[in-house]
Amino acid sequence: MKNTKFMEIGSGKGFYGLLALLGVAILAGLSAFFYMEHTGHWVTGMDNQIVWGAPHVFAIFLIVAASGALNVASIGTVFGKKIYQPLARMSALLAVALLIGGLTVLVLDLGRPDRLIVAMTYYNFKSIFAWNIILYNGFLALVAVYIWTMLDPTVKKFYKLAGFAAFVWRLILTTGTGSIFGWLVARQAYDAAIFAPMFIVMSFSFGLAVFMLVMMATYSWTDRPLGDAVVRRLKNLLGVFVAGVLFFVMVYHLTNLYATEHHGVQAFILRDGGVFTQAFWIGQVLLGSLLPLALLYHPATGNSRFWIGIASALIILGGFAQLTVILIGGQAYPLVLFPGYEVSSSFADGVINSYSPSLPELVLGFSGIAIAMAMMVVGMRVLRMAPASLADEVADPHHGK
Amino acid sequence: MSDHKQPDLARREFLGRGAAAAAAGVVLAPGVMLYGVAQAKPADEPVSSKVRWGMLVDTSKCSNGCNACVDACNKEHGLGNETHSRDTQRTQYIRKVELRHKFTGATHSLPVMCQHCETPPCVDVCPTGASFKRADGIVLVDRHICIGCRYCMMACPYKARSFVHEALTDQRPHTPRGKGCVESCTMCVHRVDEGRQPACVEACAADGSHAIIFGDLNDPSSEIAQRVKTYASSEIRADLGLNTGVRYQGL
């Protein structure tokens, strides 16, 4: 394998066009934020029963995908796989971009976003949320250093160390994200240690799916060569991750189906939950897992860039479906305060709660994606992030052997 | 950080001292013991963990359809003045829950509010420490550092918390509700600190039901301590082991 040559992407009409498009989405998101912040959250779909809505689905997807996007770099740096090493810069940049996009949405959906400084200065160290604030900031700092060691030959000696630290940190970070739900003892759908490892595998899957799309789009739009070796390696790995997520989802549901205590919430998600049941079986399992697996591994589609792209998009869609089921479905099922009793009250006790996202919430959510993509586009424009060529003879260490 | 809290403390201290002075005036009358349940502590004396405020709800005395405690709470704290919020977005500190056992058909009616846990999950999860428990067991939200993340609402097993969905006006001085913050039953801490009873307890008694009693669980001579010692009482979701300050009898 030759030394990889990195080049900034060009600044043609396409670059500015894309940036303008993303800019519009970001502005729309900011407007949605100001509107919700100014009027109060009564204009959103949230209420006292479903307290985390669509913005949280977007934010958590982006945060989970962020740590997963770094995997490509980690496999190259930590595990020494040469074919992944040229992709490390893009992978690390994407990780930072996705995290900032996700955090922006999360912060802008707070009841008091003006008190962000309070969140940075007052810490309750028993709160996994407080730990996450430290984990997110630390991740940004570590990955920034990691990128620096890749860009600047004078600090190259720290490359391995930075890569290793970022890898360990990202595993802790996703453990923290999963534990936001895993440690919620009160609710039927949560309170399960499996959330931490499940979120880690979800991050592998969602992050790599996003990376695949970004990589293929970048190389297609900049007319740079992208060989089959890289794509094939990544798509096979992606399939393994998708299957891994399915495994964890299956274990989670089987475990809960075994315990009578959890039959209610399981029946709700798996059978009686209407839109959540559909999101689970059709969105998450069928379109988001089984279909992409078939597309990635079937000989007729597994070698086609187009179908690999479709599979990646479906995995992302499935990820959103999964987080909708976990977050909103988990809140829609009522808390069980009095087992064995039928309950009713003025505060929706015993009632299946409903949630429909409002337009501003969705616009804010999509703007998080736009922020991440805009950072990616600008980052690749100003820094040497993307290899000039990922053709097989350049990228594949086994090429010609 | 302390600068941020200072003006507020001063204000509260001022209000508290005024109240304590008023209360002290009554107590000083010779031989008169007006407050059988709780004595006002001087405002400059810190809250003590020797006290554990609690409530005992006797569900056999709580009747279906009676809403006196809820109405009193809403009035006391100025709740229900939202003009834009949907019903599901309005704040409720206390609610009446009607129960019917699926197998036996037994029915109960009882109020549910913040249960003032000894180890409150809302306090555990709050990133900034805005959710906190006073030494005397009352769980509160510091509205100055609540960032409105709603994680406490996810964590509360009793669904006791509400989020203020809109800008409010004419708040009660002792219940400074504000848009974007989370709130819940304060056990009428402003009354308790003056040696008075929570509004719901008072209203329930005035209504003739006497279903809720309030007092110091740590004081063996208090009515509530005697009652929980003599009769079986239970906690909602006792499986979580939170040792709630609000207990139920007859459930």
Side-chain angles (χ1 to χ4, degrees):
Chain A
M1 193 175 70
K2 298 169 199 163
N3 267 345
T4 313
K5 190 182 167 206
F6 290 90
M7 271 172 65
E8 297 93 343
I9 57 170
S11 62
K13 273 183 199 161
F15 170 79
Y16 287 110
L18 180 59
L19 215 51
L21 204 69
L22 294 170
V24 169
I26 294 170
L27 278 179
L30 279 178
S31 315
F33 154 65
F34 281 122
Y35 173 62
M36 291 188 286
E37 159 67 5
H38 183 71
T39 52
H41 274 67
W42 67 272
V43 294
T44 71
M46 78 158 278
D47 57 28
N48 288 326
Q49 311 301 329
I50 308 266
V51 300
W52 288 353
H56 281 75
V57 171
F58 279 87
I60 291 174
F61 178 88
L62 289 166
I63 290 167
V64 167
S67 54
L70 189 71
N71 270 2
V72 176
S74 300
I75 297 169
T77 308
V78 180
F79 300 102
K81 300 284 179 201
K82 287 206 163 60
I83 195 169
Y84 291 91
Q85 285 170 2
L87 305 169
R89 297 182 185 185
M90 282 173 73
S91 152
L93 178 65
L94 183 62
V96 169
L98 289 171
L99 186 61
I100 291 179
L103 288 181
T104 307
V105 176
L106 197 68
V107 164
L108 296 185
D109 190 52
L110 289 176
R112 294 296 304 258
D114 54 313
R115 289 183 178 171
L116 186 60
I117 189 70
V118 173
M120 301 287 179
T121 48
Y122 285 70
Y123 281 103
N124 166 25
F125 287 105
K126 199 178 174 186
S127 166
I128 187 64
F129 233 41
W131 278 104
N132 277 339
I133 295 169
I134 296 168
L135 289 170
Y136 297 149
N137 288 325
F139 182 81
L140 292 175
L142 270 179
V143 178
V145 170
Y146 183 28
I147 294 176
W148 180 25
T149 63
M150 290 191 268
L151 292 175
D152 183 353
T154 61
V155 289
K156 198 167 184 244
K157 57 177 179 276
F158 300 111
Y159 162 71
K160 271 257 171 201
L161 182 67
F164 185 76
F167 173 66
V168 173
W169 196 274
R170 66 122 310 189
L171 291 178
I172 301 171
L173 183 145
T174 322
T175 302
T177 313
S179 299
I180 289 176
F181 302 96
W183 292 0
L184 280 179
V185 295
R187 290 184 185 256
Q188 303 295 312
Y190 309 138
D191 185 24
I194 201 171
F195 272 97
M198 184 166 77
F199 266 59
I200 291 179
V201 185
M202 283 157 67
S203 81
F204 290 170
S205 173
F206 307 166
L208 187 53
V210 175
F211 181 82
M212 293 282 282
L213 283 183
V214 168
M215 180 186 72
M216 292 199 291
T218 305
Y219 279 74
S220 164
W221 294 345
T222 56
D223 288 325
R224 295 185 187 190
L226 173 64
D228 282 332
V230 169
V231 175
R232 205 175 303 131
R233 184 73 74 91
L234 290 177
K235 71 101 185 169
N236 284 337
L237 188 62
L238 184 57
V240 172
F241 291 159
V242 171
V245 175
L246 264 185
F247 169 75
F248 274 91
V249 169
M250 192 179 74
V251 172
Y252 163 77
H253 285 291
L254 283 177
T255 306
N256 280 346
L257 280 170
Y258 202 81
T260 309
E261 174 192 5
H262 296 301
H263 285 180
V265 68
Q266 288 304 314
F268 174 67
I269 298 292
L270 301 176
R271 193 186 64 205
D272 309 325
V275 64
F276 300 110
T277 302
Q278 288 165 13
F280 179 79
W281 289 111
I282 301 173
Q284 180 184 338
V285 175
L286 187 66
L287 295 177
S289 307
L290 298 178
L291 183 58
L293 273 177
L295 290 174
L296 290 173
Y297 290 131
H298 194 281
T301 50
N303 291 317
S304 148
R305 297 277 165 88
F306 173 76
W307 286 112
I308 293 171
I310 294 287
S312 302
L314 283 170
I315 291 164
I316 293 170
L317 190 83
F320 274 95
Q322 181 173 9
L323 287 169
T324 302
V325 171
I326 292 175
L327 260 94
I328 302 179
Q331 293 175 82
Y333 188 74
L335 283 169
V336 179
L337 269 63
F338 304 97
Y341 284 95
E342 285 167 7
V343 293
S344 64
S345 80
S346 59
F347 204 59
D349 283 274
V351 173
I352 302 287
N353 305 298
S354 63
Y355 170 83
S356 25
S358 63
L359 184 65
E361 288 172 287
L362 292 174
V363 171
L364 175 63
F366 277 109
S367 75
I369 300 176
I371 289 169
M373 291 306 115
M375 286 189 64
M376 199 63 203
V377 171
V378 172
M380 289 196 293
R381 172 75 194 96
V382 299
L383 294 169
R384 291 178 181 169
M385 286 289 159
S389 167
L390 284 171
D392 286 351
E393 63 270 24
V394 182
D396 183 5
H398 306 295
H399 182 75
K401 282 181 190 168
Chain B
M1 277 197 260
S2 56
D3 291 348
H4 157 84
K5 278 188 162 178
Q6 215 49 50
D8 174 58
L9 274 183
R11 192 182 71 204
R12 282 191 189 157
E13 217 167 273
F14 170 75
L15 291 169
R17 284 210 174 126
V26 181
V27 173
L28 277 181
V32 178
M33 187 60 205
L34 274 180
Y35 303 113
V37 179
Q39 265 188 303
K41 64 164 189 59
D44 54 356
E45 189 181 288
V47 171
S48 163
S49 60
K50 287 178 191 152
V51 178
R52 172 88 199 271
W53 295 122
M55 289 191 196
L56 179 66
V57 178
D58 185 344
T59 58
S60 64
K61 293 180 182 165
C62 181
S63 51
N64 187 352
C66 174
N67 233 21
C69 55
V70 177
D71 294 340
C73 175
N74 291 349
K75 189 167 167 238
E76 180 74 16
H77 295 281
L79 308 183
N81 58 347
E82 296 96 338
T83 50
H84 299 292
S85 300
R86 302 191 295 272
D87 276 350
T88 52
Q89 293 175 327
R90 291 167 179 273
T91 289
Q92 295 188 30
Y93 286 180
I94 182 171
R95 62 190 190 267
K96 280 295 296 290
V97 180
E98 309 300 333
L99 306 182
R100 185 181 174 281
H101 199 275
K102 287 176 197 164
F103 182 64
T104 63
T107 57
H108 302 275
S109 181
L110 48 94
V112 174
M113 66 298 253
C114 171
Q115 303 286 297
H116 299 278
C117 312
E118 185 183 19
T119 48
C122 58
V123 173
D124 289 345
V125 302
C126 178
T128 64
S131 270
F132 71 102
K133 190 187 69 165
R134 294 205 330 176
D136 59 6
I138 299 181
V139 176
L140 296 169
V141 178
D142 181 342
R143 295 161 198 262
H144 295 280
I145 57 170
C146 171
I147 58 172
C149 74
R150 286 104 77 190
Y151 198 20
C152 56
M153 300 176 76
M154 292 289 276
C156 175
Y158 308 104
K159 225 168 57 165
R161 292 204 156 171
S162 294
F163 177 79
V164 181
H165 285 73
E166 61 179 273
L168 300 172
T169 51
D170 292 333
Q171 291 94 324
R172 303 280 188 276
H174 51 255
T175 313
R177 314 174 57 213
K179 182 181 79 175
C181 284
V182 176
E183 55 182 353
S184 59
C185 157
T186 65
M187 215 182 236
C188 282
V189 65
H190 60 288
R191 284 168 158 256
V192 172
D193 282 348
E194 291 170 4
R196 295 158 63 206
Q197 304 225 358
C200 56
V201 178
E202 207 173 84
C204 185
D207 201 55
S209 301
H210 297 278
I212 319 175
I213 59 167
F214 167 83
D216 178 7
L217 288 161
N218 282 352
D219 173 6
S221 64
S222 70
E223 187 191 355
I224 189 168
Q226 298 272 346
R227 283 266 291 272
V228 295
K229 193 179 171 191
T230 316
Y231 303 103
S233 63
S234 58
E235 301 171 38
I236 304 178
R237 289 225 59 185
D239 60 312
L240 296 175
L242 301 173
N243 189 14
T244 54
V246 178
R247 304 185 64 90
Y248 294 82
Q249 191 182 335
L251 189 59

